[in-house]
Amino acid sequence: MMEVMICDHFRCSPLSILSSYRSSFSPSTRYPLSVPSYSPSFRLKPSSSSLSSSRMEETQETHDHGRSKFIDFPFVSAAQKNLMVELVSKLEDRFHSQLLPCTLPPDVQYYQSQTGTAQASLHIRSATDDSPVDFVLGSWVHSELPTGGSLDITSLSAYLNSSTDAPNFVFEMIRSSPTMLVLILDLPPRKDLVLWPDDLKTFYEDTQLDTHRQALERVPEVKPYFSSSLYIRSVSSPTTIMVRIVTENGGVERMEEIIRDHLDPISKQVLGIWLDHCACAQRDVGEAERAYLKKRDGLIRNKTIEIDLGSSFPRLFGPEVANRVLEAIKGYFTV
């Protein structure tokens, strides 16, 4: 979530864009960060017959409490909250029977800095073995800025496994003031589109994904956004929506109008395309392709932790909290 959550949001992580926005506010101090090795307990499959009924009840209670904290989106505007809730609900409704409860520890599902100036919610759900989904990740981050105001990031990402070669889904809204917002909405490819031109046609051309970017850029206040990270640009799709919206003249009311009338329908349409034509589409993936996907997915996820999260998390929350959260995230990012 900052410059990627996003991501891979994560192609990008929900904390990825933070580096860009906080670089002018934060000291250059680097905290030592060690990400412990993957602990499988963070990705426990509650459906396992080895779990007792009491343990399953406890897991469900932890999930319900963490989800209520996540879905509350307490620091964003009404229009942004409504959009996030509807995106999460639409995705969860489609994969309802395949998504397992979130098993993250309570102090990872919600955490904050020692000073209380930064707080966040993290909600990750693995999927059953017969699902094309690897896991779904949602989060929000709220950080008070030294200059006044706050940085608020909300994100939703879905990662597919190697049973399909379809792209992932990444959505992120970064708001550094009531009148300034950055939107990242993309279906980042999981294969080289030059080597696999049929994927370019199937997932991006035939679905007319680029028409949504074109429609959004016709709004006067919407301008292209260019990430400072060349890595993030390199893993984005050719139809990615990365825009910066500034409504200084129209104020907060105009920003809410743009979110409600433009970002809301476009984001839902793109998610719908991903659900219908990517995540739920039948794909014939051979063994060689599966091996390629696992290798590429692993490289991108490791880079997310190494480049994005490993830098921004300690700066926001301190090394102790950052290590705890990153250990949990790494469990899901390990392919």
Side-chain angles (χ1 to χ4, degrees):
M1 289 175 150
M2 278 46 164
E3 173 75 69
V4 276
M5 170 100 177
I6 130 135
C7 257
D8 218 289
H9 54 86
F10 309 177
R11 160 208 85 157
C12 306
S13 117
L15 286 178
S16 58
I17 280 200
L18 183 66
S19 325
S20 313
Y21 280 101
R22 288 190 64 93
S23 59
S24 59
F25 304 122
S26 305
S28 58
T29 305
R30 292 275 180 175
Y31 296 94
L33 179 70
S34 61
V35 180
S37 59
Y38 163 47
S39 170
S41 62
F42 286 118
R43 205 171 182 182
L44 186 64
K45 298 223 171 186
S47 59
S48 170
S49 58
S50 63
L51 291 180
S52 65
S53 59
S54 60
R55 179 66 183 277
M56 292 180 68
E57 290 177 4
E58 180 182 344
T59 297
Q60 189 63 48
E61 288 178 3
T62 301
H63 165 86
D64 292 342
H65 179 73
R67 187 182 186 281
S68 65
K69 195 80 174 178
F70 160 61
I71 210 73
D72 187 38
F73 297 107
F75 297 101
V76 299
S77 68
Q80 185 171 346
K81 176 177 179 177
N82 290 340
L83 172 55
M84 289 303 305
V85 170
E86 291 179 17
L87 289 177
V88 172
S89 298
K90 184 171 184 176
L91 195 154
E92 289 185 336
D93 288 347
R94 176 64 70 92
F95 296 110
H96 175 70
S97 62
Q98 301 176 22
L99 293 179
L100 302 172
C102 177
T103 58
L104 292 171
D107 61 356
V108 172
Q109 293 196 48
Y110 172 78
Y111 51 97
Q112 62 181 2
S113 62
Q114 288 187 341
T115 60
T117 56
Q119 51 186 300
S121 175
L122 177 65
H123 197 69
I124 306 179
R125 300 182 66 178
S126 294
T128 54
D129 292 337
D130 60 346
S131 174
V133 176
D134 190 6
F135 63 91
V136 173
L137 184 153
S139 66
W140 57 256
V141 174
H142 171 78
S143 177
E144 297 174 11
L145 299 176
T147 54
S150 65
L151 177 65
D152 289 287
I153 302 170
T154 56
S155 68
L156 178 66
S157 301
Y159 298 88
L160 302 178
N161 57 40
S162 60
S163 68
T164 176
D165 60 354
N168 294 320
F169 174 81
V170 173
F171 177 88
E172 197 162 79
M173 296 178 75
I174 305 100
R175 203 162 180 176
S176 59
S177 81
T179 57
M180 204 289 284
L181 180 149
V182 168
L183 170 70
I184 297 177
L185 175 59
D186 195 18
L187 308 188
R190 297 170 59 224
K191 291 164 65 178
D192 189 320
L193 298 179
V194 174
L195 297 178
W196 280 276
D198 286 348
D199 285 16
L200 177 66
K201 183 177 188 302
T202 299
F203 298 127
Y204 302 100
E205 293 178 353
D206 291 351
T207 57
Q208 299 185 328
L209 268 176
D210 206 40
T211 60
H212 301 290
R213 178 192 60 80
Q214 295 168 4
L216 188 57
E217 291 188 353
R218 285 195 286 269
V219 179
E221 294 89 346
V222 174
K223 304 298 179 186
Y225 170 77
F226 300 99
S227 169
S228 60
S229 169
L230 296 181
Y231 170 74
I232 289 175
R233 294 191 222 173
S234 71
V235 297
S236 301
S237 80
T239 61
T240 185
I241 296 176
M242 286 192 184
V243 295
R244 184 173 182 264
I245 305 169
V246 180
T247 60
E248 291 181 351
N249 295 331
V252 180
E253 293 77 12
R254 176 56 178 162
M255 180 64 77
E256 290 293 277
E257 180 183 341
I258 291 175
I259 295 175
R260 183 180 63 251
D261 297 342
H262 300 283
L263 303 192
D264 187 292
I266 286 175
S267 299
K268 292 174 184 175
Q269 289 164 13
V270 172
L271 176 58
I273 289 172
W274 180 79
L275 290 170
D276 294 337
H277 300 280
C278 299
C280 297
Q282 291 294 323
R283 302 287 297 172
D284 184 15
V285 182
E287 289 302 316
E289 284 183 273
R290 284 176 182 253
Y292 169 87
L293 288 166
K294 289 188 69 173
K295 180 178 180 180
R296 190 178 188 279
D297 288 347
L299 288 172
I300 289 180
R301 295 180 190 184
N302 287 337
K303 277 292 184 182
T304 296
I305 293 180
E306 174 188 338
I307 296 177
D308 292 324
L309 304 183
S311 171
S312 60
F313 267 64
R315 190 181 302 128
L316 269 179
F317 300 101
E320 181 179 347
V321 174
N323 277 328
R324 183 175 70 238
V325 175
L326 287 173
E327 179 184 8
I329 293 176
K330 187 179 181 181
Y332 292 86
F333 275 32
T334 300
V335 178

